[in-house]
Amino acid sequence: MLDIRPLAETGRDAFEAGTDLAPYLARLVRRAPQAYSLLQREGATELAAHALKQAKDAAALEDREEAMTALRQAKLANHMAVAAMDLSRSLPVHDLTGHLTGFADAAVQSALTIALRQRSLTQDGIFVIALGKMGAFELNYSSDIDMAVFFDPAVFYEGSIEAGDLASKVVRDAMRILEEDTGDGYVFRTDLRLRPDPGSTPPAVSTQMAEIYYESVGQNWERMVWIKARACAGDIRAADRFIGMLEPFVWRRHMDYWAIADVQAIKRMINSRTSASDLADTSPDLKLGPGGIREIEFFVQTQQIIMGGRNSFLRHRKTLKSLDALVAADAVDASVGKELTEAYEVLRNIEHRIQMLEDQQTHRLPSDENTRLRVAKLCGHDDLAAFDRAVAEVRKTVHGHYRDLFAEEERKHENAVQGNLVFTGVDDDPGTVETLKAYGFSDPSRIIATISNWHRGKTPATRTARGRGLLTALLPDLLAAMSRTGEPDMAFTRFTRFFEGLRSGIQTLSMLANETSLLEDLVTTLAIAPRLSQTLARQPGLLEALVTPSGQEYPPALSRGADFESQMDEVRRWQNERAFLIGHRLLHSRLPAQQAALAWSDLADHCVQLMSEAAAIETARRYGPQPGNWMIGALGKLGGRELTAGSDLDLIIIFEDDGDAASEAGHWFTKFAQRLITAISAETAEGSLYEVDMRLRPSGRAGPVATSLRAFDRYQHHDAWTWELMALTRLRPVAGHDALGERALEIAHDAIVNGKPDDERRADILDMRRRLWKERPPRGEWDLKLADGGLVDLEFILQQEMLLCHSADCVLPTVIDAAETLGEAGRLTADEVKTITSSFSFLQSIQQIQRLAVGAELTADQFSEGLKARLALAAGCERFSEVESRYRSVRKQISDLRCEKIGTLATDS
């Protein structure tokens, strides 16, 4: 086994030697002279203690910028100390990784404390769980840190309904403190994607939601993640209780066949087809490649997850301690345990030295021989060829033991008969025809002919031997999945459109071959949701987001120096992926309708914020400095946070000049508004974001696209029609100057609760509803918005009561909040509140799926059987006939309530 040798006896001398080989270590001397001086005077151990104390003390600094600087200086000092101890071999690698992790814990706690203090909050009920290497005290030299943040909604922020939003804001603030690359560098790169359903959940997840998620849809790979979980910051007691609550999920006492097979399948997905040349590569990835660190970790974790439910002795976070436990339990031979332990220590040591070169989160030995020689010398070896051979031997040892794990099951899997599916030759294979008939395909010959053409390379995805080979491996599962949809012909037709639209299908086919659940999801999506299938056909790369979200989870940080068009495209790329993830989760019942509405709305909010900032910068570049402040208000569904797939955005733009250039302000803000509308709605190479509707601004189409606050005030109080005030009840500031947004909201609320006598307002509202019924009748039975007793009636009822309540406290943009508040104010009875809220929840659950799947198709005969099943599931019904019955009942209840509160739709009544 390769021997990692010290560069010198003392830490200070070893670090000096390292600076000649690793440019990053040399830069540390220049960037952290005080730390370097302390290393020279007192040694690496004292420097490490100083760095840890500095990270902890940063929490007490009142000034955020000062605290960020202190944390970054502490990080530099810590890196210097760890490098000195590592290169002198004064501590074993597991003690070094433990120290790196302890420093990360201190930094995360300080960042969280600072973020909470900025918002005058305590850490009661909010906590950070360390996962992955951080959870196991195994961080490497330049690790990013895997975490998940949770909050107890009954405790954090005293159980307020705003707890979720506040918790997420705190998390974003804390992550920025750690991640932002300032003149002093960064502290840690962070990764929060190991939380439940990261594509659809906020950065801070409620403990209630997490518990439901893990109990209902938690997967085996997530159980493996939580093996290493531990509390690292925040409310530690709450965190420990949460981890305890998840113990039955992580450590199942009884593992059925399919659960064990799934764990084994996870193992099969990693380096299952490794050749001798792969192991001889002199520039391997020491973490993810064959014979790498991940194989050792999975060797341990797959066995822990299978046996640990019945044997608590195996439940350890640390890899080597867990491996020792497996040896003690006779699950692993002692000789194997010894070889894997030694290999793990060697690989982790080399990994550290690779990262010392440039402080990069990389695990690959450099392909350049001179650079790789520097790594070898950091390991104490001057002979590169001998070093390469020794590394290859270590990897061969690891991969041999990894390959032997579940070896019998691997052979069974490889030799399984896939069925009679032959798509070669001239004539249709009779056995294949029978198989396809059994699967439910009405015209097997059409299926065989199409697939035969694919095999012949008549589509871009199969023009290479590898593409055709992947298709062959994929077809049995693909056709079986189509059969399971209940509509195999439709599924095949839409898959054909998707597949033949791929420019190069290798990556997509590889993902589908390795991810059976992804294949099932894709086929089901294509079968029941033509709208999503069209999106996938246009942008097949979105499929990758279901496996590993490719873009950043948070909104992109737009560079102020980038051109306007580039910023538009960057936001579109991000929005496309996030929108697809939300839609996919919703369609597959992994995201409730109400949460989907919030997710769509939050996504739109972020896009408006990003594009408005970009538009302001572009306008200032072209027309000079901004002459005042602006705010963007959302109305309609966005204002009420009820957005659906494909919704347009009702926006209003209000500005206030700064007094110095009042005459020029209107021109500037008009140009700003035009650029914002273009930024959101224009079609680029990356598509568009949303259609923008500005008709709800003062004077509608006849009014300016940007309205001054004075004009807004005057119009709403003196000129606004009653229906405009109804629309104004949904006003919600989403971007721009906060104080201006609050003032606009105050003006709106004052106009809403004052003005015309109640009788006039009632008459206006009834007239408006009747005109709408006459001029825009429902387009079909399932027009949930315009139908008698649909969403428009529900909104009219609430908006009328808000206009008649004469209290700004009753004016709220969201349906549920408005109904409950009007009930508390005595404007609605308890039964009426219940009718409105339950009806809205039902209609929203149907509309979310309907708009996502079929858009404007509004008759039930256009719903596929698969879609009907999804609609029933979303509505909490066993079958679609129950949905139809409940839909009729809900509409009658709302229609009756509208007749009582507003009046009938018939004008001659």
Side-chain angles (χ1 to χ4, degrees), residues 78-151:
N78 191 60
H79 258 188
M80 187 179 292
V82 170
M85 292 185 288
D86 200 344
L87 296 175
S88 64
R89 305 287 287 139
S90 56
L91 285 179
V93 69
H94 55 80
D95 285 348
L96 290 167
T97 60
H99 175 77
L100 286 163
T101 307
F103 179 84
D105 285 356
V108 172
Q109 179 62 69
S110 289
L112 180 63
T113 300
I114 295 164
L116 287 166
R117 186 172 62 237
Q118 285 180 322
R119 298 181 182 273
S120 301
L121 298 170
T122 70
Q123 66 181 17
D124 293 344
I126 188 169
F127 52 86
V128 183
I129 301 294
L131 300 167
K133 283 184 166 59
M134 186 176 179
F137 288 95
E138 293 172 353
L139 287 183
N140 53 50
Y141 190 73
S142 297
S143 264
D144 55 6
I145 51 179
D146 292 313
M147 301 176 290
V149 185
F150 301 90
F151 69 95

Side-chain angles (χ1 to χ4, degrees), residues 539-665:
Q539 296 174 292
L542 290 174
L543 197 64
E544 187 175 358
L546 300 181
V547 183
T548 304
S550 56
Q552 67 263 45
E553 177 188 340
Y554 304 129
L558 299 181
S559 170
R560 295 181 69 89
D563 65 84
F564 193 44
E565 289 73 20
S566 297
Q567 293 175 327
M568 289 167 59
D569 281 342
E570 185 175 358
V571 174
R572 279 158 171 73
R573 284 189 291 271
W574 176 75
Q575 191 266 1
N576 283 339
E577 179 177 292
R578 308 317 297 177
F580 178 72
L581 284 171
I582 294 168
H584 179 270
R585 300 292 182 185
L586 171 64
L587 182 68
H588 293 278
S589 304
R590 296 168 193 168
L591 187 66
Q594 185 177 7
Q595 290 183 25
L598 294 176
W600 293 121
S601 301
D602 286 345
L603 179 62
D605 284 359
H606 286 310
C607 291
V608 172
Q609 290 158 11
L610 288 166
M611 289 290 81
S612 60
E613 291 168 6
I617 292 170
E618 176 67 4
T619 307
R621 186 181 69 81
R622 292 194 177 204
Y623 299 100
Q626 179 176 306
N629 296 312
W630 52 267
M631 64 81 67
I632 313 297
L635 297 161
K637 281 189 174 296
L638 180 58
R641 302 192 75 196
E642 298 160 12
L643 228 56
T644 61
S647 287
D648 57 10
L649 307 185
D650 293 302
L651 299 177
I652 184 172
I653 301 171
I654 297 172
F655 69 89
E656 185 175 40
D657 60 67
D658 57 17
D660 295 331
S663 61
E664 300 176 4

Side-chain angles (χ1 to χ4, degrees), residues 594 598 636-637 639-642 729-730 791-799 802 810-823 828 832-833 835-841 843-844 894:
Q594 185 177 7
L598 294 176
K637 281 189 174 296
R641 302 192 75 196
E642 298 160 12
T729 62
R730 299 207 132 192
L791 288 166
V792 163
D793 276 338
L794 194 150
E795 292 168 5
F796 264 64
I797 293 167
L798 290 175
Q799 289 166 2
M802 282 189 265
C810 292
V811 182
L812 295 168
T814 59
V815 167
I816 301 295
D817 291 342
E820 291 176 349
T821 303
L822 288 166
L828 297 172
E832 289 170 344
V833 171
T835 295
I836 289 172
T837 55
S838 62
S839 298
F840 174 74
S841 296
L843 292 173
Q844 185 185 50
I894 295 299

Side-chain angles (χ1 to χ4, degrees), residues 7 15 18 21-28 79 82-87 96 141-142 349-360 362 375 378:
L7 300 192
F15 182 82
L21 298 168
Y24 173 67
L25 299 186
R27 291 198 298 272
L28 279 180
H79 258 188
V82 170
M85 292 185 288
D86 200 344
L87 296 175
L96 290 167
Y141 190 73
S142 297
N349 272 297
I350 300 174
E351 176 187 49
H352 281 195
R353 284 149 180 79
I354 293 171
Q355 294 173 355
M356 285 178 194
L357 293 178
E358 294 292 351
D359 187 30
Q360 292 178 345
T362 179
V375 176
L378 285 169

Side-chain angles (χ1 to χ4, degrees), residues 54-62 67 71 106 109-111 113-114 117:
Q54 190 176 12
K56 292 178 179 178
D57 291 347
L61 297 174
E62 293 292 333
L71 284 171
Q109 179 62 69
S110 289
T113 300
I114 295 164
R117 186 172 62 237

Side-chain angles (χ1 to χ4, degrees), residues 742-757:
E742 288 299 318
R743 289 166 63 194
L745 204 56
E746 289 170 7
I747 291 170
H749 287 176
D750 186 71
I752 289 165
V753 301
N754 296 300
K756 286 184 179 181

Side-chain angles (χ1 to χ4, degrees), residues 354-415:
I354 293 171
Q355 294 173 355
M356 285 178 194
L357 293 178
E358 294 292 351
D359 187 30
Q360 292 178 345
Q361 174 68 352
T362 179
H363 316 274
R364 184 177 294 280
L365 275 166
S367 57
D368 175 71
E369 289 192 357
N370 291 330
T371 308
R372 193 165 71 253
L373 178 59
R374 295 211 304 268
V375 176
K377 289 184 175 182
L378 285 169
C379 294
H381 293 265
D382 294 327
D383 186 334
L384 180 59
F387 176 79
D388 288 343
R389 288 193 298 271
V391 171
E393 286 303 315
V394 172
R395 295 173 58 232
K396 286 177 185 176
T397 297
V398 171
H399 189 68
H401 294 312
Y402 181 76
R403 186 188 57 228
D404 290 342
L405 181 63
F406 308 141
E408 183 61 30
E409 288 78 7
E410 295 289 316
R411 284 189 287 273
K412 291 177 182 177
H413 179 79
E414 290 171 2
N415 295 331

Side-chain angles (χ1 to χ4, degrees), residues 474-536:
L474 190 65
L475 276 171
D477 289 335
L478 174 66
L479 294 169
M482 290 177 179
S483 177
R484 286 191 290 273
T485 67
E487 299 183 69
D489 289 331
M490 182 64 72
F492 186 83
T493 297
R494 290 181 178 153
F495 179 84
T496 299
R497 192 178 304 137
F498 163 77
F499 186 62
E500 293 181 353
L502 296 176
R503 295 177 184 175
S504 174
I506 298 297
Q507 184 177 6
T508 300
L509 287 171
S510 296
M511 285 193 295
L512 294 174
N514 287 329
E515 295 279 351
T516 55
S517 61
L518 177 62
L519 176 63
E520 192 84 27
D521 277 1
L522 172 64
V523 171
T524 303
T525 299
L526 295 175
I528 68 176
R531 185 171 188 149
L532 268 185
S533 69
Q534 289 168 8
T535 300
L536 271 176

